[in-house]
């Protein structure tokens, strides 16, 4: 769409014009922080490369050569020698579930980078030796069976063998949860009158005994209600868990996320919201968060949004913690579940009418929104509702659609014509082999259609959909965009549907900033923008395709403050991250396991 492209170019040009006087004035100042001797990728079209930068009051003030920056070093300036390493803007995940993921992180065994089922089971066995009675051992997503050399999931018998005395829960995407015998007993799924969940199956054998398999059919409600009912950490340990999680994200170069709410997250008073609010007030945040509201109960969404729009103004907050708007769930009737191994689900027959009422309330309340839509056929039904509401109550600027894996050119163009954005996540990377078995290789080649989306000139953000679906590791997503490799190593796309490394990095930085209303304020290393950046352990632009997924940050800065330092930069991080609690947390164990990649 020409108007979209022109608007984006105008914004970039305006930012450059605003930056010029800031840079000239800044050269007479003493900087708070200076970085020199770097290979700085700025994402600023006017100055794409630099070797040095200076920060004052949380913003970049000068970006240029070492000679330009050195005069700004004063007695209290923090000086960082980048040692010739690659420096990039802080990464920004435009679709994740970080607030919920953070409070549970210390409870979870992670299989994100494990390459064999043998190793995965070994991690469970070791954790069973350290876990106290009454506590679960759980893996809450972030892996694909295709990443294992065995190309399969564990059996319930194998889970019983490695942890005979503890309940074990393995959550896999939103298609399957495995429970060992102790977990089945703990939940009472063999007892009369146990809970049943619409759209889900507690699988039982011919004798009526639970097999330990929970299946989406197509709703994942049975799986996330089961996971939510497992023992939780205390509030103090949830705070500690969140600190550890955000520190882990910082160690991957992440400085911002857009949080999509999620199941078990009663807005606005659920414990995870209280935890992040407390951390914000206490100055403990090391990742910027823009978050959305997510209705929990089918049939109650309209009344929820009527209440919320009356009491909460979209955009409330600050640079660290900001409420953005509605979604990713607008109405359960419209939710199309992405189990690519199964047949495509149909949304409810009355989805359009109910969604029209909700979207009208959002338009009248001035709330932007995000919506989970996976399939082109769902777009065929819902986009006419968007078009109707646009003519009436209106679509508040800043709205976007998440996922769009199988969207056609026609429906992508409808999003562009309405002024929306598209947030892309690597969910398909974790189940590409399932998709091929169901839909074929040719269909996969444009699932999603990266090139068509970028050519439209719409706002595009990169993300993960972590933690219960995919891994929180942003480099898995960036590798997917640039190489087309599934987590099992299968080539997914032709060269025509791959992004260059520069394009993928732009999507994950300046692109994602738009999705929390921060376009032009963060995502680029340029004067006037928030001073968020990362120094990588290896050069993103020269490593092999396989190495992209293994990249880490050795130094991460948010708002001019070092929030993570390791290796040669460890001395630059003056924060105190407390010891992990509880003392049996799987995170402690996995920090000592060299085979597990984080």
């Amino acid at each position: 769409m020409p108007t979209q492209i022109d608007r984006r170019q105008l914004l970039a040009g305006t930012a450059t014009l605003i930056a010029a006087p800031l840079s000239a004035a800044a050269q007479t100042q003493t900087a708070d922080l200076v970085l020199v001797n770097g290979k700085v990728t700025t994402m600023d079209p006017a100055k794409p490369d630099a070797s040095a930068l200076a920060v004052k009051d949380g913003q970049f003030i000068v970006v240029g050569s070492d000679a330009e920056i050195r005069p700004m070093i004063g007695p209290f300036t923090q000086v960082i020698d980048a040692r010739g390493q690659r420096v990039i803007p802080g990464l920004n995940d435009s679709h994740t579930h970080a607030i919920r993921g953070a409070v549970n992180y210390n409870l979870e065994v992670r299989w994100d980078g494990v390459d064999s089922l043998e190793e995965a089971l070994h991690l469970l066995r070791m954790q069973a030796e350290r876990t106290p009675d009454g506590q679960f051992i759980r893996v809450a997503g972030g892996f694909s069976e295709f990443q294992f050399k065995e190309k399969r999931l564990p059996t319930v018998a194998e889970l019983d063998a490695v942890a005979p005395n503890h309940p074990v829960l393995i959550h896999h995407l939103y298609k399957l949860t495995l429970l060992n015998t102790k977990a089945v007993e703990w939940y009472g799924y063999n007892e009369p009158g146990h809970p049943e969940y619409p759209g889900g199956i507690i699988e039982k054998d011919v004798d009526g005994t639970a097999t330990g398999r929970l299946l989406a059919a197509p709703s994942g409600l049975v799986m996330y209600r089961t996971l939510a009912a497992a023992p939780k950490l205390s509030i103090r340990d949830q705070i500690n868990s969140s600190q550890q999680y955000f520190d882990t994200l910082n160690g991957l170069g992440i400085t911002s996320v857009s949080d999509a709410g999620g199941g078990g997250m009663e807005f606005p008073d659920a414990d995870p919201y209280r935890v992040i609010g407390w951390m914000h007030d206490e100055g403990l945040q090391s990742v910027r968060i823009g978050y959305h509201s997510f209705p929990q109960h089918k049939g109650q969404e309209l009344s929820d949004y009527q209440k919320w729009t009356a009491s909460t103004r979209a955009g409330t907050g600050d640079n660290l913690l900001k409420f953005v708007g509605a979604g990713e769930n607008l109405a359960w009737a419209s939710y199309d579940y992405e189990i690519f191994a199964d047949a495509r689900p149909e949304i409810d027959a009355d989805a359009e009418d109910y969604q029209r009422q909700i979207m009208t309330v959002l338009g009248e309340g001035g709330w932007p929104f995000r919506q989970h839509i996976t399939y082109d056929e769902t777009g065929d039904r819902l986009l006419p509702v968007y078009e109707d509401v646009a003519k009436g109550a209106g679509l508040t600027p800043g709205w976007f659609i998440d996922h769009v894996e199988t969207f056609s050119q026609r429906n992508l163009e409808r999003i562009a014509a309405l002024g929306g954005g598209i947030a892309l996540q690597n969910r398909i990377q974790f189940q590409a082999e399932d998709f091929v078995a169901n839909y074929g290789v040719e269909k996969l080649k444009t699932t999603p259609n990266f090139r068509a989306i970028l050519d439209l000139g719409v706002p595009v953000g990169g993300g993960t959909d972590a933690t219960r679906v995919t891994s929180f590791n942003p480099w898995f997503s960036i590798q997917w965009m640039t190489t087309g490799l599934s987590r099992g190593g299968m080539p997914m796309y032709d060269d025509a549907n791959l992004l260059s490394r520069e394009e993928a990095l732009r999507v994950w930085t300046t692109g994602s900033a738009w999705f929390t209303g921060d376009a032009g304020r963060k995502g680029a290393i340029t004067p006037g923008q928030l001073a968020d950046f990362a120094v990588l352990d290896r050069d993103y632009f020269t490593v092999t395709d396989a190495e992209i997924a293994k990249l880490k940050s050795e130094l991460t800065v948010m708002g001019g403050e070092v929030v993570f330092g390791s290796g040669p930069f460890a001395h630059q991080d003056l924060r105190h991250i407390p010891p992990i609690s509880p003392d049996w947390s799987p995170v402690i164990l996995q920090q000592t396991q060299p085979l597990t990649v984080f």
Side-chain angles (χ1 to χ4, degrees):
M1 300 295 293
T3 56
Q4 296 287 341
I5 295 171
D6 291 347
R7 182 176 65 187
R8 185 174 60 182
Q9 292 171 339
L10 177 62
L11 180 61
T14 302
T16 302
L17 289 172
I18 292 172
L22 282 172
S23 178
Q27 293 183 29
T28 65
Q29 300 183 53
T30 298
D32 297 328
L33 179 147
V34 157
L35 177 142
V36 296
N37 190 24
K39 295 177 182 176
V40 183
T41 298
T42 69
M43 292 290 119
D44 178 359
K47 183 183 285 190
D49 300 295
S51 65
L53 58 87
V55 175
K56 182 77 172 178
D57 297 330
Q59 296 185 343
F60 298 112
I61 54 173
V62 178
V63 178
S65 67
D66 288 12
E68 290 175 292
I69 301 302
R70 287 194 184 279
M72 305 180 66
I73 297 175
F76 294 100
T77 302
Q78 184 174 7
V79 180
I80 297 169
D81 181 349
R83 299 159 39 95
Q85 292 175 223
R86 180 64 60 185
V87 182
I88 62 170
L91 297 177
N92 186 344
D93 191 330
S94 67
H95 183 124
T96 187
H97 301 272
I99 297 174
R100 181 184 66 191
V103 299
N104 293 299
Y105 178 63
N106 281 3
L107 286 171
E108 297 170 359
V109 176
R110 302 298 305 182
W111 286 352
D112 302 41
V114 177
D115 64 6
S116 74
L117 182 58
E118 179 183 18
E119 182 195 349
L121 290 170
H122 178 60
L123 288 173
L124 296 185
R125 181 183 294 108
M126 288 193 297
Q127 184 57 36
E129 295 172 355
R130 342 176 31 255
T131 302
D133 292 343
Q135 285 291 344
F136 267 61
I137 300 167
R138 68 195 86 186
V139 178
F143 72 96
S144 166
E145 72 266 40
F146 301 110
Q147 77 193 46
F148 299 148
K149 64 183 180 184
E150 297 89 348
K151 305 300 181 186
R152 68 173 179 86
L153 294 170
T155 65
V156 171
E158 287 172 325
L159 299 181
D160 283 341
V162 297
N165 301 315
H166 293 85
V168 177
L169 182 153
I170 310 295
H171 175 88
H172 180 45
L173 303 169
Y174 274 126
K175 70 176 184 180
L176 172 68
T177 290
L178 294 173
L179 304 175
N180 74 343
T181 300
K182 284 288 185 181
V184 170
E185 293 173 358
W186 193 91
Y187 285 108
Y189 284 155
N190 281 324
E191 303 299 322
H194 66 70
E196 298 284 352
Y197 301 97
I201 296 171
I202 300 171
E203 186 181 77
K204 299 194 174 182
D205 62 20
V206 293
D207 297 323
T209 302
T211 66
R213 289 163 49 90
L214 310 180
L215 306 170
S219 168
L221 185 66
V222 61
M223 292 184 289
Y224 49 77
R225 287 284 175 86
T226 298
L227 180 57
K232 297 177 175 59
L233 292 169
S234 69
I235 292 296
R236 298 302 299 182
D237 281 347
Q238 287 183 37
I239 293 168
N240 181 282
S241 179
S242 297
Q243 289 179 279
Q244 308 302 332
Y245 183 67
F246 295 141
D247 190 60
T248 299
L249 295 187
N250 294 152
L252 294 166
I254 292 177
T255 55
S256 292
V257 300
S258 175
D259 190 283
M265 292 272 286
E266 294 276 0
F267 179 83
D269 298 321
D271 282 350
Y273 290 120
R274 294 172 56 213
V275 166
I276 194 60
W278 186 89
M279 291 179 65
H280 170 269
D281 294 345
E282 294 296 316
L284 296 178
Q285 260 185 269
S286 64
V287 173
R288 304 184 193 278
I289 300 175
Y291 63 101
H292 290 73
S293 58
F294 187 114
Q296 300 296 306
H297 307 289
K298 187 171 185 178
Q300 190 178 309
E301 304 96 328
L302 178 60
S303 60
D304 281 341
Y305 279 124
Q306 287 171 331
K307 176 177 62 179
W308 296 340
T309 55
S311 62
T312 306
R313 182 172 58 85
T316 301
D318 57 26
N319 289 333
L320 282 174
L321 186 62
K322 177 170 63 176
F323 175 67
V324 180
E328 70 177 288
N329 179 31
L330 294 186
W332 288 105
S334 304
Y335 208 91
D336 61 353
Y337 299 89
E338 76 295 341
I339 309 170
F340 294 122
D342 295 343
R344 176 184 61 82
E346 286 286 351
I347 60 175
D348 291 1
D350 62 349
E352 292 92 334
D353 289 339
Y354 193 45
Q355 174 139 337
R356 185 177 288 105
Q357 296 176 61
I358 291 170
M359 291 180 68
T360 298
V361 168
L362 297 176
E364 292 172 345
W367 271 31
F369 63 87
R370 68 189 308 159
Q371 184 165 16
H372 162 121
I373 308 180
T374 302
Y375 297 98
D376 193 50
E377 292 83 354
T378 308
D380 285 340
R381 290 185 55 183
L382 294 181
L383 286 174
V385 178
Y386 285 52
E387 290 160 347
D388 288 348
V389 175
K391 297 172 185 175
L395 305 175
T396 303
W399 68 270
F400 58 97
I401 296 178
D402 290 294
H403 311 317
V404 304
E405 278 94 347
T406 72
F407 267 44
S408 62
Q409 180 73 22
R410 178 189 71 258
N411 280 337
L412 295 174
E413 289 175 354
R414 293 169 86 173
I415 297 170
L418 289 166
I422 295 173
L424 299 170
Q425 307 81 41
N426 55 321
R427 304 186 307 174
I428 189 70
Q429 186 187 31
F430 286 72
Q431 42 189 324
E433 293 83 355
D434 282 341
F435 186 94
V436 167
N438 207 9
Y439 297 99
V441 172
E442 286 304 310
K443 181 70 172 175
L444 179 65
K445 289 180 179 179
T446 53
T447 302
N449 195 333
F450 289 128
R451 188 52 54 193
I453 292 169
L454 262 64
D455 286 349
L456 283 171
V458 299
V460 181
T464 61
D465 205 1
T467 59
R468 292 185 182 174
V469 177
T470 67
S471 170
F472 50 74
N473 190 331
W475 299 105
F476 291 175
S477 177
I478 292 170
Q479 184 193 54
W480 163 67
M481 291 178 168
T482 56
T483 71
L485 292 174
S486 75
R487 289 293 296 137
M490 183 181 77
M492 299 166 62
Y493 311 125
D494 293 334
D495 289 348
N497 197 35
L498 295 177
L499 304 188
S500 70
R501 295 195 188 188
E502 190 276 339
E503 285 176 318
L505 185 59
R506 187 171 297 280
V507 165
W508 261 88
T509 53
T510 56
S512 290
W514 183 90
F515 292 78
T516 49
D518 294 309
R521 299 185 63 249
K522 65 182 180 182
I525 299 176
T526 190
Q529 290 209 17
L530 296 170
D532 303 344
F533 64 90
V535 180
L536 302 181
D537 64 340
R538 283 161 287 180
D539 192 337
Y540 165 63
F541 290 102
T542 61
V543 296
T544 65
D545 287 349
E547 285 181 291
I548 293 174
K550 300 177 182 179
L551 286 168
K552 298 178 182 178
S553 174
E554 290 190 325
L555 179 84
T556 303
V557 172
M558 183 191 70
E561 298 288 337
V562 174
V563 294
F564 180 86
S566 67
F569 302 99
H571 65 286
Q572 298 284 358
D573 185 358
L574 302 181
R575 297 177 311 144
H576 172 66
I577 300 295
I580 298 167
S581 62
D583 60 9
W584 51 267
S585 168
V587 178
I588 298 172
L589 174 66
Q590 294 195 211
Q591 286 183 346
T592 67
Q593 298 303 305
L595 295 179
T596 302
V597 178
F598 280 94

